[in-house]
Every structure is written in C-alpha cells, then in structure tokens.
C-alpha cells in the first residue's frame, strides 16, 4: 500500500486552539503539539482561531502555516470571545476526533494521547480535569464553587467543567452550538443531547507569558461564574420547560398567598375584624399577584421559545488560511 492510501485509511485528529494575544507561546506550543502527536496513528490538522488579537499572533500562525500545511487558521475581525472561537473551529474541523486546548501553554500537549485513549473507552466526550491547578487563589475558590454548583444542578459528575482541554467525537461538536459564554458548559450541552461525557485528570502548567485574558486576580471570573450559574439554570431548567420552571415558583407563591387570604377570610367571618392583620393581608394578596404573573411569564416564554428562530452566527471572519 502506498503512502497516500495509508493516509486515507488513517483517522484524523483536529486540534482547535483559540488565540487571543498569545504571540510568545505560539511557536513553542505548536512545536510541542507536533512532537506530542508524532507517532500517533492519526492524520491531523491544527486550527488556530485568532480571536481578534492585537499583537503579532496571526503573523506567527501564518508563518507556521507556511512551514506546515496541516496548520490552518481563522482570523476574527475583532475579539468575539472564546465561545465564538471554538464555534468557528468546530465548524471548520474535519477530524474524526476533535481536541480543544488553550494556547497559553497551560494545557500539556503530552496529555493528548491520554485523552485519545480515554475516549476510546466508549465516551463521546472527555473533559480534562486540572487536578492541581496553577492559578490564583480567587480563581481556585470561585471555580470550586462553580463546579460544585453546576454539578449539583445538572447531575453531571465532573470536577472541572471549564477546562479548555477536551476531546470529542466528531458528531458531538457538529451537534452542539456554542455562543455567548457557553464554552464553560460544553459538557452540559453534550450531556443534554444525550452524549456520554467522561473526565480525565490532566497536567496543568503555570501561565508562562502574560496573565489570564480574564483578569489577573480572577475577580471578573468570579462574577462571571456567578452569572453563569444563573445561565446553567436557564439552559437546563428554563429553556426546556419555562412554564414548569416559572409555573412551579408561581404556583407555590400563589398557593401560600391563597392560604394566607383564606385564613384571614375565616378570621373575618368568625371574629368580625382583621384590622390588626392588615400587613399579612397585603402580603397574601401580593403573593397571589406575583404568582399569577410568574405563571403568565412562563406561558409567554413557552410561546416565544416555540417561535424562536435559530441563532445567528456570533462571530465574523476576516481571513481564513486553509
Ligand atoms: N481566549 C480567547 N478569547 C478571549 C479570551 C481568551 O480566544 O476573549 C483564549 C486564550 O488565548 C487562551 C484561552 O482562551 O488560549 C484561555 O484563556 P486564558 O488562559 O486567559 O484563561 P484562563 O487560563 O485564565 O482560564
Ligand atoms: Mg490560561
């Protein structure tokens, strides 16, 4: 069998890497990835998505492409965020297995073969778990709370939802839509579609150059995490069945309001006066009204979701090198 046929029989690995001002790391990262996958029985492509870098990142990626045609690139017109970068990469990826990793050298390329081994155990997606994180204290604590809460809310037993290092079967990435800040919830999105999600401990390096693109101390991240938890509630509970979500709260409030008012009615009938209970009366009526409003909000959302059109692409590509 000649070389070309051999290549065609090989499965392909796509490595997707979002890049936002990572000039210093790119060459080293690229060399280490190629070294790490050399010898694996895969054809490969590395797709860099330059998420609107203001530094020299895209030039370096272009240089890398000149040297090796398996390196491909997408350049965004501005910074659209990591989710958009991943979405563009997912769309472009032609591999049977797809790996995502960060471009700051914090993810260890040598773990790629372990991820491939793990997904071979029968998973549709395997998420890295940065067991020993090399990050700031605030980042560590907020991430612990985040992971615990998301796990409790979704029932998915993962320790590290937000790890950038993941591997997917092709079908998974072609079937999930990442936009907004959803990249933190990729395991949730996959799980929702019925895919089997696993976890693998991976080595985490310290950031060698610059600081986190989400802020040095991790405060911004802590706030984001908090908002994201509301988001996960929205994704898992609300968007599926808004009427059940709002309706349940609305009904409970109305029910308590109803009990209060019923109690006051009985009091009025038997004692003749509820003068001293006026605040309670107001509270009861308020609960009934709020409850009724929540129920109608649920109904309205249900109608909106049924009529909602598919989301627009959340990014704009300036240039592609393929
Ligand atoms: N990143 C991106 N767009 C952004 C922010 C970050 O593509 O708007 C990339 C960044 O270049 C890196 C990865 O996403 O490859 C993770 O970012 P970072 O290392 O700053 O996050 P942290 O490690 O602190 O979670
Ligand atoms: Mg990082």
């Amino acid at each position: 069998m000649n070389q070309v046929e051999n290549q065609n029989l090989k499965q392909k690995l796509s490595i997707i890497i979002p890049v936002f001002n990572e000039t210093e790391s790119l060459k080293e990262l690229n060399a280490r990835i190629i070294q790490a996958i050399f010898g694996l029985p895969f054809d490969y492509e590395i797709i860099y998505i330059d998420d609107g870098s203001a530094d020299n990142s895209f030039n370096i990626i272009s240089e890398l492409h000149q040297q090796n045609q398996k390196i491909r690139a997408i350049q965004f017109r501005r910074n659209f965020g990591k989710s958009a970068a991943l979405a563009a990469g997912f769309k472009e990826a032609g591999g049977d297995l797809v790996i995502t990793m960060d471009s700051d050298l914090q993810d260890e390329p040598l773990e790629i073969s372990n991820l491939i081994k793990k997904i071979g155990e029968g998973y549709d997606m395997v998420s890295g778990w940065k067991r020993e994180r090399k990050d700031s204290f605030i980042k560590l604590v907020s991430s612990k709370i985040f992971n615990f809460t998301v796990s409790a809310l979704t029932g998915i037993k993962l320790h590290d939802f937000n790890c950038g290092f993941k591997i997917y079967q092709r079908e998974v990435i072609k079937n999930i839509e990442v936009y907004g800040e959803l990249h933190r919830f990729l395991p949730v999105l996959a799980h929702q579609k019925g895919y089997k999600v696993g976890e693998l401990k991976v080595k985490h390096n310290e950031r060698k150059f610059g600081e986190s693109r989400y802020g040095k101390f991790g405060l911004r991240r802590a706030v984001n995490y908090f908002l994201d938890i509301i988001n996960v509630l929205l994704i898992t509970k609300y968007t599926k069945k808004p009427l059940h979500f709002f309706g349940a709260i609305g009904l409970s409030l109305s029910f308590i309001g109803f009990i209060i008012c019923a109690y006051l009615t009985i009091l009025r009938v038997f004692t003749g006066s509820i003068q001293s209970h006026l605040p309670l009366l107001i509270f009861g009526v308020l609960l009934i009204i709020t409850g009724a409003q929540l129920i109608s909000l649920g109904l309205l959302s249900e109608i909106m979701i049924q009529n909602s059109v598919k989301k627009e692409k959340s990014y704009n590509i300036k240039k592609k090198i393929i």
Side-chain angles (χ1 to χ4, degrees), residues 18 20 22 51 79 103-104 106 139 207 212-213 221:
F20 185 44
E22 307 279 6
D51 183 13
N79 179 243
S103 49
D104 56 357
Q106 286 200 277
K139 205 160 148 182
R207 207 180 217 290
S212 169
R213 302 302 179 243
R221 180 183 312 260

Side-chain angles (χ1 to χ4, degrees), residues 17-22 29 49-53 79-83 85-86 101-107 130 133 135 139 162 164 181 183 204 207 211-215 220-221 225:
I17 307 178
V19 177
F20 185 44
N21 298 333
E22 307 279 6
L29 174 73
I49 298 96
D50 177 7
D51 183 13
S53 296
N79 179 243
F80 284 97
K82 192 174 172 182
S83 290
L86 290 177
M101 63 192 294
D102 289 352
S103 49
D104 56 357
L105 295 166
Q106 286 200 277
D107 296 333
K130 296 162 285 184
R133 276 185 80 157
D135 285 319
K139 205 160 148 182
N162 190 19
E181 290 289 298
H183 64 270
H204 192 228
R207 207 180 217 290
E211 52 203 38
S212 169
R213 302 302 179 243
Y214 296 96
R220 202 174 118 205
R221 180 183 312 260
Y225 275 156

Side-chain angles (χ1 to χ4, degrees), residues 176-225:
I176 48 182
E177 296 213 22
V178 211
Y179 58 90
E181 290 289 298
L182 285 187
H183 64 270
R184 299 198 183 91
F185 299 112
L186 283 161
V188 180
L189 299 180
H191 175 81
Q192 266 196 326
K193 295 257 176 187
Y195 292 118
K196 195 173 165 202
V197 181
E199 181 171 63
L200 179 76
K201 282 180 203 166
V202 290
K203 186 167 175 239
H204 192 228
N205 300 320
E206 229 154 308
R207 207 180 217 290
K208 210 164 155 184
F209 305 102
E211 52 203 38
S212 169
R213 302 302 179 243
Y214 296 96
K216 186 173 178 186
F217 299 109
L219 260 182
R220 202 174 118 205
R221 180 183 312 260
V223 175
N224 280 344
Y225 275 156

Side-chain angles (χ1 to χ4, degrees), residues 57-213:
S57 295
F58 193 71
N59 289 337
I60 295 187
I61 299 167
S62 306
E63 244 177 71
L64 294 171
H65 168 77
Q66 298 294 319
Q67 294 156 13
N68 179 351
Q69 305 295 306
K70 291 184 192 296
I71 291 161
R72 306 170 58 195
I74 294 173
Q75 185 185 29
F76 281 175
R77 287 206 172 269
R78 65 164 171 84
N79 179 243
F80 284 97
K82 192 174 172 182
S83 290
L86 290 177
F90 286 166
K91 189 146 186 274
E92 205 59 42
D96 304 282
L97 290 178
V98 176
I99 289 182
T100 59
M101 63 192 294
D102 289 352
S103 49
D104 56 357
L105 295 166
Q106 286 200 277
D107 296 333
E108 174 54 57
L110 289 173
E111 296 281 7
I112 289 177
S113 60
N114 297 331
L115 283 169
I116 294 174
K117 234 178 265 159
K118 184 76 186 179
I119 203 163
E121 288 174 17
Y123 293 99
D124 298 307
M125 162 182 188
V126 175
S127 184
W129 171 16
K130 296 162 285 184
R131 185 77 180 89
E132 284 164 40
R133 276 185 80 157
K134 302 284 186 295
D135 285 319
S136 76
F137 180 71
I138 297 182
K139 205 160 148 182
L140 289 181
V141 173
S142 55
S143 138
K144 268 234 148 51
I145 298 173
F146 172 79
N147 285 308
F148 176 81
T149 318
V150 176
S151 179
L153 285 175
T154 58
I156 305 171
K157 303 267 169 291
L158 291 189
H159 295 85
D160 191 359
F161 286 83
N162 190 19
C163 181
F165 211 3
K166 293 184 163 69
I167 186 166
Y168 307 80
Q169 303 278 3
R170 175 187 179 79
E171 184 194 328
V172 181
I173 56 139
K174 297 295 179 190
N175 269 316
I176 48 182
E177 296 213 22
V178 211
Y179 58 90
E181 290 289 298
L182 285 187
H183 64 270
R184 299 198 183 91
F185 299 112
L186 283 161
V188 180
L189 299 180
H191 175 81
Q192 266 196 326
K193 295 257 176 187
Y195 292 118
K196 195 173 165 202
V197 181
E199 181 171 63
L200 179 76
K201 282 180 203 166
V202 290
K203 186 167 175 239
H204 192 228
N205 300 320
E206 229 154 308
R207 207 180 217 290
K208 210 164 155 184
F209 305 102
E211 52 203 38
S212 169
R213 302 302 179 243

